[in-house]
Amino acid sequence: MKNIRNFCIIAHIDHGKSTLADRLLERTHTLTVTEGQMLDDMDLEKERGITIKSHAIQMEYSYEGTPYKLNLIDTPGHVDFAYEVSRSIAACEGCLLVVDSTQGVQAQTISNLYMAIEHNLEIIPVLNKCDMVNSMPEEVEDEIIELLGCKREEIIHASGKTGQGVDEILRAVVERIPSPQGDDEAPLQALIFDSVFNPFRGIIAYFKIENGTLKTGDNVLFVNTKKKYVADEIGVLKMDLSPRDELHSGDVGYIVSGIKTAVEVKVGDTITHTERPCDNAIAGFEEVKPMVFAGVYPIETEDFEQLRSSLEKLQLNDASLTFQPESSVALGFGFRCGFLGLLHMEIIQERLDREFNMNVITTVPNVSYHVYDKHGVMKEVHNPAGMPDVLEISSIEEPFIRASIITRTEFIGNIMTLCLKKRGELVKQEYISGDRVELYYDMPLAEIVIDFYDKLKSISKGYASFDYHPLDFRPSKLVKVDILLNGESVDALSTLTHVDNAAYLGRRMCERLKELLPRQQFDIAIQAAIGSKIIARETVKQVRKDVTAKCYGGDISRKRKLLEKQKRGKKRMKEIGSVQVPQKAFLAVLKLD
């Protein structure tokens, strides 16, 4: 065990984690790097140049004649996948904190670092991209020293592109990161930190053994779900799965036990032996907090069960996705899903399409409300379509959150303006260090689910980090804005909003839908309404054939006869025609600004 090192790489997005991981794999002769970011195995990751999943791999490294096993986990940098990072950190004893020497310390660097400090990880600071012309090593070193309180000589200068500093990093991993602490003789305790679905072998769980020994063929128990299995195959994670007969405490590996149903494996669960179980489960990870809720519906209603199993398999691979069934008049049966952000929502939608061949429609994101009728009876509403009639409502309460925003002092003005626009109330502000300040706001959750985070990142140039926790429900003046197409309400486009924003929102939605709806053979009236009152209207003009083109002169009555015939046809068409709302129209409503 003293020759094992478990470590992960954490950094802000685009600071060069995956490229640096490639160089480490090359240097330890684990594999030959044929293209960039070898650990990013999803097509989506390669196309967008971002890491979505944490990837674990074992490297073998010889230091001063002693062989060492290094278990590396490469993590995502985008805040929407921060839950992946928290799980990776739980399976490690140390981490490489990578900072881009051209950009300096940024928001995710700080929030990932705090996560690592909470788990008492040994932190090795690495200054990446030192070969760049616009690199500022001295300034960024000062920022790291202020952040970590480390010595200047402890910071390793490296470059993921040229391979500079890779040997120093490997030496530092062996010298500075402690080996895992555990007892081979104790009852088995292994923490599941990830899992994947394999269509041929069922569910493969990735774990780290804290105590005890696991052998092929052992009878194992999953503590939280109380399910028992046989360890058909265990092994370590190379580029592919590499079977072993036996794994000891400190090892990171995988288990195949023929599990078929997704709900039987929970990330954060503990694996132990059935004959000699451990006394208590390992403390898992904190529960995930979805930021955005949206309805996901199959385009064909009969695909509902297929969508359920697809979401369960995705949840195995991405534990931050939450979902429960719901139904809608316009879209039929589907699921109410919770996501960590808009990028997360977009990625899940793409993965459903690519990995499971599921065509889905996603509705406008929102939150749940408490609606009181005239008799004082409370009803919880998750979806604007489920709102009672306006005349029956006495009051509506919406969920409020306590938001904490850490930023640099130069952006305070812009951030305060944004929070005021989103109906936020400043609770207090505290200065953390020289030019960093923490702002606390009470805000309605509904105001942050759509575009608050994107705007916060824009106005703070990526420096603000944002966290929240739920407070309570408070009364609010809310109204339901319905969108009508030719007098028919489209419940998937309904939104609940504050009375002051209703007219503006209705007008903007009508304008966007006018741009996005394809023209038909008849006029389409797009209206926004509160109850029976119309607050905005746009018209998509019909496509007309010039029926009088063949008339050369002659009596006007002949042209009139043709136009009357066309008019009657258009009227009949409008009565029987239906308007299909394309998927991009649902998405465009999210990006109104």
Side-chain angles (χ1 to χ4, degrees), residues 482-505:
D482 285 312
I483 297 295
L484 313 176
L485 296 180
N486 282 346
E488 292 287 318
S489 172
V490 183
D491 64 347
L493 288 174
S494 302
T495 49
L496 273 171
T497 183
H498 194 262
V499 69
D500 297 345
N501 304 335
Y504 171 75
L505 182 76

Side-chain angles (χ1 to χ4, degrees), residues 281-329:
I282 304 166
F285 321 104
E286 42 184 274
E287 277 299 297
V288 59
K289 296 182 293 193
M291 292 247 185
V292 175
F293 298 91
V296 174
Y297 294 86
I299 287 176
E300 302 297 331
T301 321
E302 59 266 25
D303 291 343
F304 175 73
E305 281 304 326
Q306 197 185 332
L307 178 61
R308 182 199 294 274
S309 74
S310 302
L311 284 169
E312 281 175 356
K313 287 168 190 170
L314 260 185
Q315 195 178 32
L316 271 179
N317 203 242
D318 181 354
S320 50
L321 169 69
T322 57
F323 63 91
Q324 61 193 64
E326 71 162 4
S327 64
S328 143
V329 181

Side-chain angles (χ1 to χ4, degrees), residues 18 21 75 132 138 142 162 194 211 223 250 287 331 356 400 408 574:
S18 300
T75 63
M132 302 278 277
E138 286 82 16
D142 291 342
T162 63
D194 204 354
N211 289 307
V223 176
E287 277 299 297
L331 302 169
F356 303 99
F400 267 68
R408 288 177 38 176
K574 186 171 182 176

Side-chain angles (χ1 to χ4, degrees), residues 405 409 412 416 426-432 437-441:
I405 301 166
T409 44
I412 290 181
M416 284 183 162
L426 181 65
V427 180
K428 63 174 175 178
Q429 69 182 63
E430 291 174 352
Y431 284 84
I432 302 171
V437 64
E438 186 162 11
L439 304 171
Y440 292 93
Y441 271 91

